[in-house]
Amino acid sequence: MEDNSPSARQALEAREDEMLEELESIDISTLKGRSEWITHAYLLQELRASVARRICRTDLWNVNQMGGWHSGYSQIAQLQPVGTEELREQSLTRWSKMAAYIDQEIEHLVNGLELGYSAPKSVVQRVIDQVDGLLALEVEKSPFYSPAARDDNEAFATATRELVANQIYPAFQRYRDFLAGSYMESAREELSVTANPDGLACYEASLQAYTTLARSGKEVYELGQATVAANKAKVIELGQAAYGLDNFKDILDRAKTDPSDSFSDKEELLQFSRDMVQRAQSEMPNWVGKMPDVPVEVVPFEEHEEGTGMSAHYRPGNAERPGEYRIPLHKPEDQSRGNAESTAFHEAWPGHHLQVAVGQSVEGLHPVTQIVWFSGPGEGWARYSEALAEEMGLYTTTTGPIKRRAWPARGMVVDPGIHLFGWTREEAKDFMNESGRFPESMGDEMVDRIAILPGQLTAYDSGGLEILALRKLAETAMGDDFDVREFHDRVLENGTIPLLQLRAHIEAWIEEFEAQR
């Protein structure tokens, strides 16, 4: 278990300062041609971003429906190794610390309120709903009982059952009651992180941490607006061909009501997504030189996760277990086949699964490259993959190519719109709903996601645009000698390396090519 006490946080910050000082003293030129330059790039970005984001004091308003500690530790419990006496003892030792961890989180939030920090009320309610879902589960069905369910030792099962029932569940109940009571009464109404102390500085630090680029919120906002305008023009071009319409709204309205674009039930949505993932996998060898061995499975959300604001997402696998593309089946009649296609390509092949599995397969990379994740290159590759899938001929719907263009770069606009430029919830929802990418019922979920993850939604297209720019740079330099498979290998071979270093890596590859001409 993480030690979430104030003294542990202070000790961690002191250690980070020491590591960063030591790291910055290294002459990067001495690492040229060695894999250590990759490790250096990861550590430099991670440590500088962590130091810069201290001003956010997220420990004082850590209520997060998108991947908070309550869902993170639920996942860890389901991965907890068991099967031997030593591993069983490790499990009991770890989870016996859970109640104290939760009580410390409550104390942090109390202190945060006293200092003027809080999460938005709408986010708090979503976390309450998620915790309610956990508490509604019978002990034997709880993710925290999972270690015992995967072991055949009766004494271990009894001890785990007592631990969950008598310590973990009561602590979650205390947390839930605190959130629903005094915390909800004092939580902020405002969506923008600028409602918290030093919120403006927090936003800029978070933005650069997520994107790994040196762009201000205003610069991201303006680039996003220009990109959205260009995408809308392409949608109109496609809409004219598909529907004979030349108005953006009319085209998206037609796509929304296209009878061939809907699902009848959960089973159809699940099977369609699985078919898309399989279809994409079969095409991948034509587009990358190095295919990973780790498979990916399409897995529905667990019951307590459905309808709580959590989005479809990818969970990495390894040599022992497949990766998982986890999808919500909530309200399948509201979901679009075209969007289901682009999401599958984003999360599985050629998106996150390819990216993560390739990174795991490269020999010689330091393990830090698998532990640290940067959204700019990570989500940027996945966004690039949505477009790549069209180039690969993977889309089977009319709406997929239209809707996948209607959404990109809107995150670069709506995120700073909410946090920097005073956008209301309704303005943000209208702007996002115009794209037709998501059911209108998801508008509030998206707004609350932006509210609790300031800057994160800008990373997708900030990264996607950068990878596309690097591809164009290589195509121009190499001409007929350009090999898209090799380009993709070069982009992926260092994991989610920060975008500034990715550019340097691709430029060095181009220079090497030109020197050999």
Side-chain angles (χ1 to χ4, degrees):
M1 291 291 293
E2 174 191 12
D3 184 347
N4 60 341
S5 66
S7 60
R9 180 178 60 81
Q10 292 170 4
L12 174 61
E13 291 180 357
R15 180 67 182 123
E16 284 181 334
D17 290 339
E18 292 173 3
M19 289 191 290
L20 182 56
E21 182 179 1
E22 185 175 359
L23 191 71
E24 290 180 331
S25 71
I26 295 172
D27 181 356
I28 186 66
S29 65
T30 65
L31 304 180
K32 188 175 182 180
R34 298 162 52 189
S35 63
E36 283 87 348
W37 79 268
I38 303 169
T39 311
H40 185 280
Y42 272 79
L43 292 176
L44 190 64
Q45 171 64 30
E46 180 70 3
L47 288 169
R48 284 179 172 173
S50 181
V51 170
R53 292 178 75 178
R54 288 176 190 171
I55 198 162
C56 296
R57 291 304 308 272
T58 51
D59 57 308
L60 299 179
W61 52 288
N62 187 23
V63 183
N64 184 339
Q65 83 283 14
M66 293 303 301
W69 57 264
H70 60 291
S71 59
Y73 278 121
S74 296
Q75 180 182 349
I76 290 173
Q78 293 170 303
L79 298 173
Q80 172 79 48
V82 290
T84 69
E85 192 59 38
E86 181 182 0
L87 291 174
R88 287 189 285 268
E89 183 63 29
Q90 287 180 12
S91 179
L92 293 173
T93 299
R94 168 177 279 152
W95 301 113
S96 67
K97 299 175 182 177
M98 188 79 215
Y101 181 95
I102 294 173
D103 289 337
Q104 180 65 72
E105 285 298 308
I106 295 173
E107 186 175 335
H108 285 323
L109 297 180
V110 171
N111 293 336
L113 291 178
E114 293 176 353
L115 295 171
Y117 295 88
S118 74
K121 289 183 185 292
S122 54
V123 166
V124 177
Q125 186 58 55
R126 292 190 183 280
V127 174
I128 291 171
D129 293 343
Q130 290 175 345
V131 175
D132 281 343
L134 280 170
L135 290 171
L137 297 172
E138 298 176 11
V139 168
E140 287 76 10
K141 294 183 179 179
S142 168
F144 295 100
Y145 185 77
S146 171
R150 293 179 283 109
D151 196 288
D152 57 6
N153 185 285
E154 280 299 322
F156 178 56
T158 298
T160 301
R161 187 181 299 108
E162 292 178 354
L163 182 59
V164 176
N166 299 329
Q167 294 187 38
I168 295 177
Y169 268 25
F172 265 112
Q173 188 66 55
R174 291 194 295 274
Y175 180 70
R176 186 261 179 222
D177 292 344
F178 167 71
L179 290 183
S182 59
Y183 193 79
M184 181 67 85
E185 291 176 4
S186 301
R188 58 182 158 102
E189 297 280 357
E190 297 89 346
L191 295 169
S192 174
V193 71
T194 59
N196 281 345
D198 298 311
L200 180 59
C202 172
Y203 184 76
E204 295 293 345
S206 296
L207 179 71
Q208 294 192 20
Y210 279 124
T211 65
T212 70
L213 292 169
R215 285 185 188 142
S216 69
K218 182 174 183 293
E219 289 171 329
V220 170
Y221 183 76
E222 292 173 348
L223 177 58
Q225 288 177 313
T227 306
V228 168
N231 287 342
K232 290 178 74 170
K234 185 62 179 180
V235 166
I236 291 172
E237 180 183 327
L238 292 173
Q240 287 177 322
Y243 303 129
L245 301 172
D246 59 6
N247 177 273
F248 181 82
K249 183 179 184 303
D250 291 343
I251 292 167
L252 268 295
D253 286 344
R254 176 69 178 84
K256 289 179 188 178
T257 58
D258 189 331
S260 67
D261 196 47
S262 60
F263 295 103
S264 59
D265 53 37
K266 295 179 180 180
E267 289 71 23
E268 186 179 24
L269 168 57
L270 180 60
Q271 188 58 51
F272 181 83
S273 298
R274 286 174 171 164
D275 289 344
M276 285 302 100
V277 170
Q278 182 60 45
R279 176 180 167 85
Q281 180 181 356
S282 66
E283 290 293 324
M284 287 315 307
N286 296 321
W287 295 86
V288 293
K290 299 177 182 178
M291 275 289 287
D293 295 327
V294 178
V296 61
E297 296 179 351
V298 182
V299 180
F301 275 15
E302 295 179 39
E303 186 176 347
H304 68 274
E305 297 173 326
E306 288 282 15
T308 62
M310 189 180 295
S311 305
H313 56 277
Y314 172 71
R315 287 186 181 177
N318 55 34
E320 298 177 357
R321 67 176 187 274
E324 292 182 348
Y325 164 37
R326 301 182 66 86
I327 65 170
L329 302 180
H330 184 62
K331 295 185 178 179
E333 65 280 0
D334 286 349
Q335 299 203 44
S336 154
R337 286 176 179 264
N339 287 342
E341 285 184 316
S342 57
T343 305
F345 304 143
H346 179 108
E347 302 291 349
W349 306 100
H352 285 318
H353 177 68
L354 172 67
Q355 175 185 50
V356 171
V358 165
Q360 291 174 342
S361 69
V362 177
E363 295 183 3
L365 293 185
H366 192 282
V368 74
T369 63
Q370 297 180 31
I371 297 170
V372 176
W373 168 269
F374 298 121
S375 293
E379 298 298 353
W381 171 262
R383 177 70 83 229
Y384 169 82
S385 294
E386 295 175 27
L388 178 62
E390 186 172 342
E391 188 179 352
M392 294 167 64
L394 295 178
Y395 287 88
T396 63
T397 64
T398 299
T399 59
I402 290 175
K403 290 185 175 182
R404 81 146 189 93
R405 287 180 172 85
W407 169 252
R410 286 177 184 263
M412 297 174 71
V413 179
V414 68
D415 191 301
I418 286 175
H419 289 288
L420 298 182
F421 298 107
W423 285 28
T424 66
R425 177 178 290 270
E426 291 307 313
E427 286 173 328
K429 286 165 58 177
D430 288 346
F431 181 75
M432 290 186 289
N433 286 336
E434 182 192 35
S435 74
R437 175 67 182 263
F438 308 103
E440 291 193 9
S441 60
M442 284 183 62
D444 283 313
E445 295 177 8
M446 291 296 295
V447 170
D448 290 335
R449 169 183 175 160
I450 294 167
I452 205 59
L453 298 175
Q456 195 267 346
L457 203 62
T458 71
Y460 296 74
D461 294 290
S462 293
L465 290 171
E466 180 68 1
I467 292 171
L468 182 60
L470 292 175
R471 176 170 168 176
K472 290 180 178 177
L473 183 68
E475 287 174 335
T476 299
M478 297 180 177
D480 293 340
D481 292 319
F482 176 80
D483 182 345
V484 71
R485 296 165 77 246
E486 187 176 2
F487 171 75
H488 291 152
D489 287 350
R490 296 290 80 75
V491 170
L492 296 172
E493 65 188 352
N494 299 321
T496 60
I497 194 166
L499 288 170
L500 293 177
Q501 282 82 6
L502 176 61
R503 172 170 283 275
H505 182 55
I506 296 299
E507 289 175 345
W509 173 55
I510 294 171
E511 289 173 5
E512 182 180 346
F513 166 82
E514 291 176 334
Q516 294 175 353
R517 270 183 160 175

